[in-house]
Amino acid sequence: VFGNAKVTGSAEVTGNAKVVGNAEVCDNAKVSDNARAFGNAKVSDNARVTGNAKVYDNAEVCDNAKVSDDARVTGNARVTGDAWVSGDAWVTGDAWVFDNAKVTGDAWVSGNARVCGKAKVTGSAEVCDNAKVSDDARVTGNAEVIGNAKVSDIAEVTGNAKVYDNAKVTGNAWVYGNAKVSDDAWVYGSAEVYGNAKVTGNARVTGNAWVYGNARVTGNAKVYGNAKVTGRAKVTDNAWVSGDAWVFDNAKVTGNAR
């Protein structure tokens, strides 16, 4: 323990761990192994910081939260509840990871992002800006959830997929490959968007619908039921594609078509 650092209550600093600067470890918290707490960091309640983990700047780890392995919690970030940050993951900026959420691998959570519920952010995924990943949702691989985007329920965003702006992916939906969901678009139900497909504008993809290949769904369009939109097909304006319909190759469904 160095500088103005404090270790109070029943807190423990063991092994080769160091608490430096104005950092505080208090209550029943433990900092162990080669872990570091420095700057104005605070580790409190029953929190654990282990392995080679580092908590610094104004970051806080509290409640029953854990930070382990080579993870970093920095800036004004908070890791609370029963959350766990591990691997080489970073939680930084004003981000919060809480409830039973897990951030692991090389994942990055930053800005004002929130990861909560039983959500998992893994691989090299990024959750940034004002994005929120909640419930039992998964963001994995090289996926990005940024802007004001939301991923919730048991939805999954993986591969190189991107969900951004005010877009939502909810329910049991799956967005993967190089797919992009943006603007105010919403993918929900058991829908899948994958390949190089894009869903933009105020478009909706729901039910058991698939949008894939280089397909585009935009405007106020809706694709639902068991419909499939693929190839270079486009569904735009106020058009609806439903039932067991297939739209493929270079086909276009526009206007108020039903």
Side-chain angles (χ1 to χ4, degrees):
V1 180
F2 301 91
N4 295 312
K6 295 178 182 178
V7 179
T8 61
S10 298
E12 295 180 12
V13 178
T14 63
N16 293 311
K18 291 182 181 179
V19 181
V20 184
N22 295 306
E24 183 179 359
V25 182
C26 59
D27 304 319
N28 293 305
K30 292 183 181 180
V31 179
S32 60
D33 303 322
N34 294 302
R36 301 286 186 268
F38 56 98
N40 295 306
K42 186 175 182 180
V43 183
S44 63
D45 302 317
N46 293 303
R48 300 289 184 264
V49 181
T50 66
N52 296 306
K54 293 181 180 179
V55 181
Y56 55 99
D57 298 328
N58 296 303
E60 292 187 19
V61 181
C62 60
D63 299 325
N64 296 303
K66 293 186 287 186
V67 181
S68 64
D69 303 322
D70 291 291
R72 302 288 185 267
V73 181
T74 76
N76 296 306
R78 300 287 183 270
V79 181
T80 73
D82 292 296
W84 188 1
V85 181
S86 62
D88 291 294
W90 282 68
V91 180
T92 186
D94 292 296
W96 283 53
V97 179
F98 56 103
D99 295 331
N100 291 292
K102 291 181 172 63
V103 179
T104 188
D106 293 300
W108 184 277
V109 180
S110 64
N112 291 300
R114 300 291 184 263
V115 181
C116 57
K118 294 182 179 179
K120 291 183 180 179
V121 181
T122 68
S124 297
E126 294 186 16
V127 180
C128 306
D129 304 324
N130 295 302
K132 185 176 181 180
V133 181
S134 62
D135 303 321
D136 287 286
R138 302 287 183 267
V139 180
T140 68
N142 295 303
E144 296 180 17
V145 179
I146 58 180
N148 295 305
K150 292 180 172 63
V151 181
S152 64
D153 301 321
I154 55 173
E156 186 167 346
V157 180
T158 187
N160 295 306
K162 293 183 180 180
V163 181
Y164 54 104
D165 297 327
N166 296 303
K168 294 186 289 185
V169 180
T170 68
N172 193 32
W174 192 10
V175 179
Y176 56 104
N178 295 303
K180 294 180 180 179
V181 181
S182 63
D183 300 323
D184 293 295
W186 187 6
V187 180
Y188 58 107
S190 295
E192 295 184 19
V193 179
Y194 59 100
N196 294 303
K198 292 182 180 179
V199 181
T200 65
N202 291 301
R204 302 289 186 263
V205 180
T206 186
N208 294 302
W210 291 2
V211 178
Y212 59 106
N214 291 293
R216 302 290 184 266
V217 180
T218 187
N220 293 304
K222 185 175 181 179
V223 179
Y224 62 104
N226 295 305
K228 293 178 174 59
V229 181
T230 185
R232 296 186 176 276
K234 293 181 180 179
V235 182
T236 67
D237 302 325
N238 296 301
W240 288 12
V241 177
S242 62
D244 294 309
W246 280 60
V247 182
F248 55 96
D249 292 338
N250 292 301
K252 294 180 182 178
V253 181
T254 66
N256 293 305
R258 297 287 188 272

